[in-house]
Amino acid sequence: MTMNKFNVERSRCETRGCGNHIHFNNAGASLMPAPVCDALHGYTKQEEMEGGYEVMNKQAEPLENFYRAAAKLLNCGTDEIAFCDSASRAWASAFYALPLRAGDRVLVGNAEYGSNLVALLQQTKRVGIELVRVPDAESGQIDTAALETLIDNRVMLICLTHIPSGNGLVNPAAEVGRIARSHGIPYLLDACQSLGQLPVDVEEIGCDLLCGTGRKYLRGPRGTGLLYVRKQWLETLEPALLNHHAATLTGANAYQLRGDARRFEFWERNCAGQVALGVAIDYALSWGLPAVEDRVKSLAKQLRQQLRDINGIQVTDRGREQCGIVTFFAEQKPAEQLQQQLFQQRIHTSLVDFSANPFLVDQYHWPKLLRASLHYYNTLEELEYFLEVLNTALIRN
Ligand SMILES: *Cc1c(COP(=O)(O)O)cnc(C)c1O
């Protein structure tokens, strides 16, 4: 891993917000790069001057570009992509479309996102599905051997969060995919934190359904996200909520569902956001995801090492593979206070709430954690300043 190959200077020139503060909250919402924000503003400005429907017709090509960019990012077909307003919406659209019945079992990893868990729990009550937690291996990543032993003919779905919201862990998504495939079980991957941070190839991973959000490592605008649905599932998955974009009325009493993943969309949408998300994905691809991954991982590795040298700090990141999300707590001071003191020195971090990854927090009895989530435009100088401020905050009241 070399740090100097990445053109950090250019990435900072194209990130207008990065001079004002140190933004270590990229897992919450990254700073949009200039081309993304310009696309967003440009489109909205046109709507102001010309009207929403007129601009939609005129900008059909940039709107369509979102699907092409997303398909390139994930290595899938454009017809397998739906535009959504968030990752949670995308996840739920896929999940509630699955024909799960009483007694069906759903295997779920320990790092599952809280929002997904709420939906899963609702269906245990409403439908009578059975939720089965797959234990972690020693390293903290999903125990794929245990996963394999939990599979029987009642298992109708495997859910995995690739990278949890509140931990540096990267789950072995492709290993889970091989198991899911060999048993013909649908596999729903939450790739919310991995899109834009490392390469995510649905063929390599072998997932059938995948959700992602725009505003995190992809550096797109808020209120945007995407859903991937493997073609073979499109024929059997009927969205729980239909509308006349997802299906065409063929008469007063009949409709025909769309054949592509857009059957999971509604007609009305944030058009400026869709265009800008397309630009954000193209922008991420222009850096190259393997290069982004290297850069982000090496910055985070450096930060973890330096944090471990501070008395009273415990780094809580798990897993054999770790990403740009760094989580920790200090024995001396609650994370809330540290976060505030850092914020006063213009350093943005976030807190890991119980609901981010409830199983993980529950299992390891962590207090509230502080999360520093790094992106490629962050620098070693920023890390240094962060550690300096943190050290001072630890001693001061
Ligand atoms: C942030 C996050 C989500 C939810 O994304 P939204 O776009 O806010 O719905 C889902 N899963 C993970 C792992 C996340 O970090």
Side-chain angles (χ1 to χ4, degrees):
M1 283 192 225
T2 46
M3 302 273 280
N4 41 12
K5 265 197 290 181
F6 201 93
N7 194 341
V8 182
E9 202 178 323
R10 175 160 82 80
S11 76
R12 291 182 72 78
C13 284
E14 291 169 0
T15 304
R16 291 187 285 246
C18 74
N20 305 331
H21 34 245
I22 294 179
H23 195 71
F24 287 177
N25 193 12
N26 296 289
S30 188
L31 298 176
M32 279 184 275
V36 172
C37 210
D38 292 348
L40 191 69
H41 286 163
Y43 192 100
T44 308
K45 186 77 199 164
Q46 267 194 14
E47 283 186 331
E48 180 198 1
M49 303 310 288
E50 297 173 38
Y53 284 39
E54 290 70 19
V55 175
M56 191 171 69
N57 288 332
K58 204 162 139 186
Q59 297 293 341
E61 174 53 31
L63 280 161
E64 196 58 28
N65 179 61
F66 155 74
Y67 298 96
R68 276 198 303 275
K72 202 164 161 201
L73 179 74
L74 297 175
N75 185 27
C76 67
T78 51
D79 54 346
E80 295 174 306
I81 297 290
F83 177 69
C84 301
D85 58 9
S86 72
S88 302
R89 177 93 61 193
W91 192 94
S93 298
F95 173 65
Y96 286 99
L98 289 159
L100 297 175
R101 288 184 305 227
D104 287 350
R105 303 178 89 180
V106 176
L107 302 186
V108 57
N110 231 355
E112 198 62 16
Y113 187 62
S115 171
N116 307 347
L117 210 55
V118 170
L120 285 160
L121 288 170
Q122 185 201 32
Q123 295 304 73
T124 64
K125 286 200 290 186
R126 220 181 186 178
V127 173
I129 63 168
E130 197 188 322
L131 203 57
V132 182
R133 242 166 98 173
V134 183
D136 288 342
E138 188 95 47
S139 66
Q141 65 176 32
I142 189 169
D143 185 339
T144 47
L147 170 69
E148 186 107 52
T149 64
L150 285 169
I151 288 177
D152 59 26
N153 57 14
R154 286 171 301 170
V155 175
M156 295 300 164
L157 176 65
I158 297 173
C159 297
L160 184 74
T161 291
H162 195 183
I163 296 176
S165 170
N167 202 264
L169 158 78
V170 182
N171 263 318
E175 277 178 50
V176 171
R178 273 192 288 282
I179 295 169
R181 268 198 178 169
S182 71
H183 296 274
I185 299 168
Y187 173 22
L188 169 51
L189 183 70
D190 181 333
C192 199
Q193 294 291 358
S194 42
L195 295 191
Q197 179 171 189
L198 37 89
V200 174
D201 178 325
V202 294
E203 283 312 310
E204 207 180 292
I205 290 175
C207 56
D208 302 292
L209 305 153
L210 173 151
C211 75
T213 205
R215 72 180 184 278
K216 295 180 179 175
Y217 278 85
L218 280 174
R219 309 185 68 195
R222 294 206 60 172
T224 63
L226 63 85
L227 170 67
Y228 156 79
V229 182
R230 188 175 289 280
K231 202 164 189 155
Q232 122 202 21
W233 282 99
L234 280 172
E235 284 142 34
T236 44
L237 283 194
E238 180 158 329
L241 302 172
L242 283 183
N243 64 90
H244 68 346
H245 167 80
T248 312
L249 276 169
T250 51
N253 295 307
Y255 65 86
Q256 167 101 42
L257 258 179
R258 286 184 71 118
D260 60 16
R262 295 182 211 187
R263 64 166 61 178
F264 287 93
E265 296 179 347
F266 276 57
W267 183 80
E268 174 57 357
R269 68 198 52 216
N270 177 355
C271 291
Q274 182 175 324
V275 168
L277 180 55
V279 173
I281 296 172
D282 283 335
Y283 187 76
L285 288 167
S286 78
W287 286 100
L289 273 311
V292 169
E293 176 183 20
D294 271 5
R295 166 82 188 156
V296 166
K297 280 183 171 173
S298 62
L299 277 174
K301 190 176 169 192
Q302 173 108 7
L303 180 57
R304 278 186 207 103
Q305 267 164 7
Q306 286 173 302
L307 282 170
R308 285 199 185 96
D309 288 341
I310 303 176
N311 243 335
I313 295 255
Q314 281 197 41
V315 176
T316 42
D317 296 329
R318 309 269 302 150
R320 252 189 287 163
E321 185 187 343
Q322 298 186 333
C323 66
I325 297 175
V326 179
T327 63
F328 61 96
F329 66 89
E331 282 155 10
Q332 302 92 314
K333 213 174 230 189
E336 290 93 329
Q337 267 182 50
L338 289 175
Q339 191 211 16
Q340 274 178 21
Q341 283 177 289
L342 288 161
F343 187 74
Q344 280 157 13
Q345 302 302 316
R346 298 183 300 119
I347 300 171
H348 300 170
T349 58
S350 46
L351 299 169
V352 177
D353 211 58
F354 173 73
S355 69
N357 22 242
F359 289 153
L360 275 183
V361 172
D362 208 31
Q363 176 171 343
Y364 296 109
H365 305 291
W366 288 324
K368 205 163 251 187
L369 306 178
L370 201 59
R371 179 181 72 180
S373 45
L374 311 176
H375 217 324
Y376 53 75
Y377 63 82
N378 291 128
T379 64
L380 291 173
E381 291 71 36
E382 288 182 327
L383 292 190
E384 221 168 279
Y385 181 65
F386 166 82
L387 289 162
E388 211 180 285
V389 173
L390 180 68
N391 267 311
T392 313
L394 286 172
I395 346 172
R396 246 188 32 205
N397 278 325

